[in-house]
Amino acid sequence: MIADMSCIFCAIAAGDIPAEVVTQSDAVVAFRDLNPVAPVHVLVIPREHHADVTTLSAVPELMAEVMRVVNEVAAQEELGDGFRVVFNTGPLGGQEVGHVHAHVIGGRQMKWPPG
Ligand code: 5GP
Ligand code: ZN
């Protein structure tokens, strides 16, 4: 599926719903989370609709591009002391939006395990 217009992140990728974009490429968009849990909280998504990291991983070059942009965000946001990358996956993983997204979280000390 290229785009699902009932999907809020497809709409953000298309520019139909505003978001604070921090960087983007032909295949990927990175934008600030609406409800940040840390001083830096950016979501990195492929423009193409994939449900979760399991289906995205079936397209290795797109998965690699998402991770390249994750690193670009970390550099741009000056997260050289460390950061966290999270792909919530499925209901038990706490995934609420069904368009795969990497949370890039940083700017404060992270704890393990998360809640
Ligand atoms: P999930 O729970 O699916 O891993 O994370 C979804 C994330 O998307 C949440 O952190 C939530 O705050 C964020 N979010 C949901 N709707 C919007 C939106 O319309 N715009 C932005 N920028 N973030 C959103
Ligand atoms: Zn989508």
mmCIF file of all heavy atoms in Angstrom, residues 54-82:
data_model
loop_
_atom_site.group_PDB
_atom_site.id
_atom_site.type_symbol
_atom_site.label_atom_id
_atom_site.label_comp_id
_atom_site.label_asym_id
_atom_site.label_seq_id
_atom_site.Cartn_x
_atom_site.Cartn_y
_atom_site.Cartn_z
ATOM 1 N N THR A 54 7.908 -4.796 11.478
ATOM 2 C CA THR A 54 7.985 -6.131 10.880
ATOM 3 C C THR A 54 7.795 -6.049 9.368
ATOM 4 O O THR A 54 8.577 -6.623 8.602
ATOM 5 C CB THR A 54 6.911 -7.040 11.502
ATOM 6 O OG1 THR A 54 7.060 -7.005 12.921
ATOM 7 C CG2 THR A 54 7.035 -8.457 11.017
ATOM 8 N N THR A 55 6.781 -5.313 8.935
ATOM 9 C CA THR A 55 6.541 -5.201 7.486
ATOM 10 C C THR A 55 7.577 -4.271 6.838
ATOM 11 O O THR A 55 7.997 -4.507 5.711
ATOM 12 C CB THR A 55 5.106 -4.718 7.184
ATOM 13 O OG1 THR A 55 4.867 -3.496 7.876
ATOM 14 C CG2 THR A 55 4.088 -5.751 7.620
ATOM 15 N N LEU A 56 8.004 -3.239 7.572
ATOM 16 C CA LEU A 56 9.042 -2.357 7.011
ATOM 17 C C LEU A 56 10.342 -3.132 6.774
ATOM 18 O O LEU A 56 11.031 -2.911 5.769
ATOM 19 C CB LEU A 56 9.297 -1.173 7.956
ATOM 20 C CG LEU A 56 10.388 -0.204 7.520
ATOM 21 C CD1 LEU A 56 10.066 0.434 6.164
ATOM 22 C CD2 LEU A 56 10.621 0.873 8.575
ATOM 23 N N SER A 57 10.659 -4.052 7.659
ATOM 24 C CA SER A 57 11.896 -4.827 7.526
ATOM 25 C C SER A 57 11.912 -5.724 6.297
ATOM 26 O O SER A 57 12.980 -6.166 5.863
ATOM 27 C CB SER A 57 12.128 -5.682 8.772
ATOM 28 O OG SER A 57 12.323 -4.848 9.881
ATOM 29 N N ALA A 58 10.724 -5.966 5.729
ATOM 30 C CA ALA A 58 10.645 -6.747 4.489
ATOM 31 C C ALA A 58 11.132 -5.925 3.289
ATOM 32 O O ALA A 58 11.300 -6.468 2.191
ATOM 33 C CB ALA A 58 9.219 -7.232 4.264
ATOM 34 N N VAL A 59 11.342 -4.617 3.495
ATOM 35 C CA VAL A 59 11.860 -3.725 2.451
ATOM 36 C C VAL A 59 13.176 -3.140 2.991
ATOM 37 O O VAL A 59 13.211 -2.010 3.470
ATOM 38 C CB VAL A 59 10.843 -2.604 2.130
ATOM 39 C CG1 VAL A 59 11.271 -1.818 0.892
ATOM 40 C CG2 VAL A 59 9.434 -3.158 1.959
ATOM 41 N N PRO A 60 14.266 -3.918 2.918
ATOM 42 C CA PRO A 60 15.496 -3.549 3.640
ATOM 43 C C PRO A 60 16.039 -2.174 3.274
ATOM 44 O O PRO A 60 16.553 -1.462 4.152
ATOM 45 C CB PRO A 60 16.483 -4.651 3.245
ATOM 46 C CG PRO A 60 15.663 -5.780 2.756
ATOM 47 C CD PRO A 60 14.382 -5.209 2.229
ATOM 48 N N GLU A 61 15.940 -1.776 2.004
ATOM 49 C CA GLU A 61 16.510 -0.468 1.632
ATOM 50 C C GLU A 61 15.718 0.675 2.265
ATOM 51 O O GLU A 61 16.298 1.706 2.621
ATOM 52 C CB GLU A 61 16.626 -0.325 0.103
ATOM 53 C CG GLU A 61 15.334 -0.325 -0.666
ATOM 54 C CD GLU A 61 14.744 -1.719 -0.916
ATOM 55 O OE1 GLU A 61 15.246 -2.721 -0.349
ATOM 56 O OE2 GLU A 61 13.756 -1.794 -1.677
ATOM 57 N N LEU A 62 14.411 0.473 2.453
ATOM 58 C CA LEU A 62 13.607 1.524 3.097
ATOM 59 C C LEU A 62 13.877 1.551 4.603
ATOM 60 O O LEU A 62 13.974 2.625 5.209
ATOM 61 C CB LEU A 62 12.114 1.303 2.798
ATOM 62 C CG LEU A 62 11.165 2.414 3.232
ATOM 63 C CD1 LEU A 62 11.595 3.780 2.696
ATOM 64 C CD2 LEU A 62 9.730 2.089 2.810
ATOM 65 N N MET A 63 14.019 0.375 5.195
ATOM 66 C CA MET A 63 14.391 0.289 6.621
ATOM 67 C C MET A 63 15.733 1.003 6.836
ATOM 68 O O MET A 63 15.895 1.762 7.803
ATOM 69 C CB MET A 63 14.498 -1.183 7.025
ATOM 70 C CG MET A 63 14.846 -1.411 8.469
ATOM 71 S SD MET A 63 13.472 -1.057 9.550
ATOM 72 C CE MET A 63 14.312 -0.770 11.095
ATOM 73 N N ALA A 64 16.671 0.781 5.940
ATOM 74 C CA ALA A 64 17.985 1.413 6.064
ATOM 75 C C ALA A 64 17.875 2.931 5.933
ATOM 76 O O ALA A 64 18.570 3.673 6.637
ATOM 77 C CB ALA A 64 18.936 0.857 5.003
ATOM 78 N N GLU A 65 17.009 3.395 5.071
ATOM 79 C CA GLU A 65 16.836 4.838 4.900
ATOM 80 C C GLU A 65 16.200 5.453 6.157
ATOM 81 O O GLU A 65 16.584 6.547 6.575
ATOM 82 C CB GLU A 65 15.998 5.121 3.636
ATOM 83 C CG GLU A 65 15.629 6.564 3.392
ATOM 84 C CD GLU A 65 16.803 7.526 3.187
ATOM 85 O OE1 GLU A 65 17.968 7.099 3.187
ATOM 86 O OE2 GLU A 65 16.520 8.734 3.040
ATOM 87 N N VAL A 66 15.233 4.743 6.757
ATOM 88 C CA VAL A 66 14.660 5.223 8.022
ATOM 89 C C VAL A 66 15.774 5.360 9.062
ATOM 90 O O VAL A 66 15.879 6.387 9.747
ATOM 91 C CB VAL A 66 13.544 4.270 8.522
ATOM 92 C CG1 VAL A 66 13.170 4.577 9.974
ATOM 93 C CG2 VAL A 66 12.310 4.385 7.615
ATOM 94 N N MET A 67 16.655 4.362 9.154
ATOM 95 C CA MET A 67 17.713 4.410 10.164
ATOM 96 C C MET A 67 18.754 5.480 9.836
ATOM 97 O O MET A 67 19.321 6.103 10.741
ATOM 98 C CB MET A 67 18.371 3.040 10.323
ATOM 99 C CG MET A 67 17.435 1.973 10.888
ATOM 100 S SD MET A 67 16.481 2.507 12.337
ATOM 101 C CE MET A 67 17.778 2.813 13.522
ATOM 102 N N ARG A 68 19.014 5.711 8.561
ATOM 103 C CA ARG A 68 19.924 6.808 8.181
ATOM 104 C C ARG A 68 19.363 8.133 8.682
ATOM 105 O O ARG A 68 20.077 8.963 9.252
ATOM 106 C CB ARG A 68 20.118 6.853 6.659
ATOM 107 C CG ARG A 68 21.185 7.857 6.210
ATOM 108 C CD ARG A 68 21.173 8.125 4.712
ATOM 109 N NE ARG A 68 19.964 8.813 4.267
ATOM 110 C CZ ARG A 68 19.709 10.112 4.451
ATOM 111 N NH1 ARG A 68 20.590 10.882 5.090
ATOM 112 N NH2 ARG A 68 18.577 10.651 4.020
ATOM 113 N N VAL A 69 18.039 8.321 8.501
ATOM 114 C CA VAL A 69 17.416 9.581 8.927
ATOM 115 C C VAL A 69 17.366 9.667 10.460
ATOM 116 O O VAL A 69 17.531 10.747 11.025
ATOM 117 C CB VAL A 69 16.025 9.758 8.271
ATOM 118 C CG1 VAL A 69 15.306 10.973 8.842
ATOM 119 C CG2 VAL A 69 16.176 9.886 6.752
ATOM 120 N N VAL A 70 17.170 8.535 11.149
ATOM 121 C CA VAL A 70 17.260 8.531 12.620
ATOM 122 C C VAL A 70 18.606 9.125 13.046
ATOM 123 O O VAL A 70 18.679 9.997 13.922
ATOM 124 C CB VAL A 70 17.093 7.097 13.180
ATOM 125 C CG1 VAL A 70 17.579 7.011 14.631
ATOM 126 C CG2 VAL A 70 15.635 6.641 13.069
ATOM 127 N N ASN A 71 19.684 8.679 12.414
ATOM 128 C CA ASN A 71 21.018 9.189 12.767
ATOM 129 C C ASN A 71 21.177 10.652 12.391
ATOM 130 O O ASN A 71 21.837 11.421 13.114
ATOM 131 C CB ASN A 71 22.095 8.331 12.105
ATOM 132 C CG ASN A 71 22.274 7.014 12.833
ATOM 133 O OD1 ASN A 71 22.524 7.005 14.034
ATOM 134 N ND2 ASN A 71 22.105 5.913 12.140
ATOM 135 N N GLU A 72 20.581 11.048 11.291
ATOM 136 C CA GLU A 72 20.636 12.458 10.885
ATOM 137 C C GLU A 72 19.926 13.334 11.923
ATOM 138 O O GLU A 72 20.415 14.405 12.284
ATOM 139 C CB GLU A 72 19.974 12.595 9.502
ATOM 140 C CG GLU A 72 20.163 13.938 8.851
ATOM 141 C CD GLU A 72 19.606 13.923 7.437
ATOM 142 O OE1 GLU A 72 20.138 13.180 6.582
ATOM 143 O OE2 GLU A 72 18.615 14.633 7.186
ATOM 144 N N VAL A 73 18.764 12.865 12.400
ATOM 145 C CA VAL A 73 18.026 13.601 13.435
ATOM 146 C C VAL A 73 18.881 13.720 14.693
ATOM 147 O O VAL A 73 19.007 14.800 15.278
ATOM 148 C CB VAL A 73 16.682 12.901 13.759
ATOM 149 C CG1 VAL A 73 16.056 13.479 15.030
ATOM 150 C CG2 VAL A 73 15.718 13.005 12.583
ATOM 151 N N ALA A 74 19.497 12.612 15.112
ATOM 152 C CA ALA A 74 20.321 12.629 16.331
ATOM 153 C C ALA A 74 21.459 13.639 16.203
ATOM 154 O O ALA A 74 21.753 14.380 17.146
ATOM 155 C CB ALA A 74 20.863 11.235 16.613
ATOM 156 N N ALA A 75 22.081 13.700 15.032
ATOM 157 C CA ALA A 75 23.167 14.649 14.814
ATOM 158 C C ALA A 75 22.647 16.085 14.816
ATOM 159 O O ALA A 75 23.198 16.969 15.479
ATOM 160 C CB ALA A 75 23.876 14.329 13.495
ATOM 161 N N GLN A 76 21.555 16.286 14.101
ATOM 162 C CA GLN A 76 20.970 17.630 13.973
ATOM 163 C C GLN A 76 20.502 18.162 15.326
ATOM 164 O O GLN A 76 20.609 19.353 15.604
ATOM 165 C CB GLN A 76 19.787 17.515 13.010
ATOM 166 C CG GLN A 76 19.349 18.794 12.355
ATOM 167 C CD GLN A 76 18.336 18.491 11.259
ATOM 168 O OE1 GLN A 76 18.604 17.731 10.334
ATOM 169 N NE2 GLN A 76 17.150 19.075 11.362
ATOM 170 N N GLU A 77 19.965 17.262 16.161
ATOM 171 C CA GLU A 77 19.429 17.663 17.472
ATOM 172 C C GLU A 77 20.509 17.609 18.560
ATOM 173 O O GLU A 77 20.209 17.744 19.740
ATOM 174 C CB GLU A 77 18.243 16.764 17.850
ATOM 175 C CG GLU A 77 17.058 16.854 16.878
ATOM 176 C CD GLU A 77 16.318 18.182 16.944
ATOM 177 O OE1 GLU A 77 16.134 18.704 18.059
ATOM 178 O OE2 GLU A 77 15.933 18.699 15.877
ATOM 179 N N GLU A 78 21.764 17.352 18.132
ATOM 180 C CA GLU A 78 22.922 17.363 19.038
ATOM 181 C C GLU A 78 22.767 16.362 20.187
ATOM 182 O O GLU A 78 22.947 16.699 21.355
ATOM 183 C CB GLU A 78 23.179 18.788 19.547
ATOM 184 C CG GLU A 78 23.423 19.748 18.378
ATOM 185 C CD GLU A 78 23.749 21.173 18.800
ATOM 186 O OE1 GLU A 78 23.260 21.604 19.865
ATOM 187 O OE2 GLU A 78 24.486 21.840 18.061
ATOM 188 N N LEU A 79 22.435 15.118 19.814
ATOM 189 C CA LEU A 79 22.239 14.057 20.794
ATOM 190 C C LEU A 79 23.481 13.163 20.907
ATOM 191 O O LEU A 79 23.367 11.958 21.134
ATOM 192 C CB LEU A 79 21.001 13.223 20.422
ATOM 193 C CG LEU A 79 19.682 13.995 20.347
ATOM 194 C CD1 LEU A 79 18.531 13.065 19.983
ATOM 195 C CD2 LEU A 79 19.383 14.725 21.651
ATOM 196 N N GLY A 80 24.647 13.781 20.754
ATOM 197 C CA GLY A 80 25.901 13.023 20.756
ATOM 198 C C GLY A 80 26.176 12.269 22.049
ATOM 199 O O GLY A 80 26.921 11.286 22.056
ATOM 200 N N ASP A 81 25.562 12.706 23.181
ATOM 201 C CA ASP A 81 25.761 11.996 24.451
ATOM 202 C C ASP A 81 24.854 10.783 24.581
ATOM 203 O O ASP A 81 24.935 10.060 25.584
ATOM 204 C CB ASP A 81 25.528 12.942 25.640
ATOM 205 C CG ASP A 81 26.655 13.956 25.782
ATOM 206 O OD1 ASP A 81 27.764 13.680 25.271
ATOM 207 O OD2 ASP A 81 26.428 15.017 26.391
ATOM 208 N N GLY A 82 23.975 10.589 23.623
ATOM 209 C CA GLY A 82 23.128 9.400 23.648
ATOM 210 C C GLY A 82 21.666 9.729 23.419
ATOM 211 O O GLY A 82 21.223 10.870 23.604
#
